[in-house]
Amino acid sequence: MSTPRSTVAAAAPWVAAAAVLVLAVVSLFVGVADVNLGSLLTDPEAREVFALSRVPRTAALLLAGSALAVAGLIMQHLARNRFVAPTTAGTIDAAGLGLLTATVLFAGASIMTKITIAMVFALAGTALFIGIIQRIQFKDVILVPLVGLLLGGVFSAIAEFFAYRHNLTQTMSVWMNGDFSGVIQGRYETLWLAGAVVLVAYLFANRFTAAGMGREFATNIGVDYRLWMSAGLTIAAMVTAVVVVTVGAIPFLGLIVPNIVTLMLGDNLRRVLPTTALAGAALVVLCDILGRWLIHPYEIAVGTIVGVVGSAIFLVLVLRRSNRYATA
């Protein structure tokens, strides 16, 4: 006889997939230009808008949302802390600093060069965060993400300083707030790289789970702890860099989605990863639809809406965990 959790676990991916499908269809037909099924059959201009703008935008939303959610899930498993994610480990801010560095030093660089530089910075920033928390004697579950937020603040301050020196302050603010309004065909395809990385993460989910159990456990079952820790952090850094360079930063997404999914489905990485990816995609598409609808015909950036929702949920999770310790 199946338990309630096993029933939820079996149904969750299908429910999440259905939500993604419905929201994706809605996303294709929401916007300033009037595009509907009738106009697609009769109006060449509507078909052009649909093919060049609506389809790429929806694909970009799905790829960015799923990839960032999975990156957060992997980081939480490796750090063994529910509040570790690209936003709370300094990864996003380090990637932004890397993008600024690439822009200042290599102004004519290709987008792949900028992604590579941003990924190196994101990986270095995340490794620095891991190194710091490993040296903290008392690893309080709330203290760890606060260290990451402080580290991210340092990266952000350095970036702001050099952005001001090179008259790039406004550009920097755009990079650090995810916005899909400028996504058209030819300007989002690098996000498929993030999607491919998510697939790789799923294929090696059991190795990341073993690494997340600690060095001794991983070694005892024949898993190279250092290799898979490095691989997991590289995946998180690559995903973050690709998203930041292509559409901008989406704060708290990699924090709230894995937390909600694992609360419902448990901690089995391979089992929860598909649902986490689908839930992340659904949340980003929903926030983008809201951004296009709330002040139509203008837009609110996805990063702004996700940031507001994510910070509120983050606060709830922190208070919930604090209350649990207080009553224990």
Side-chain angles (χ1 to χ4, degrees), residues 60-70 180 243 250 253 257 276-277 279-282 284:
L61 290 163
L62 296 173
L63 290 167
S66 59
L68 278 179
V70 170
F180 291 79
V243 174
I250 305 176
L253 179 67
V257 173
T276 300
V284 173

Side-chain angles (χ1 to χ4, degrees), residues 15 22 28 35 37 39 43 70 77 80-81 89 100 115 117 121 127 148 157 175 187 191 207 235 297 300:
V15 173
V22 171
L28 291 172
V35 177
L37 289 175
S39 63
D43 187 355
V70 170
H77 272 263
R80 288 187 282 181
N81 189 300
L100 177 67
I115 287 174
I117 295 173
F121 272 74
W175 291 340
R187 294 187 183 178
L191 288 172
R207 306 291 178 89
I235 285 175
I300 302 174

Side-chain angles (χ1 to χ4, degrees), residues 34 56 140 187 195 214 304 324:
D34 185 16
D140 181 76
R187 294 187 183 178
T304 300
R324 181 184 297 176

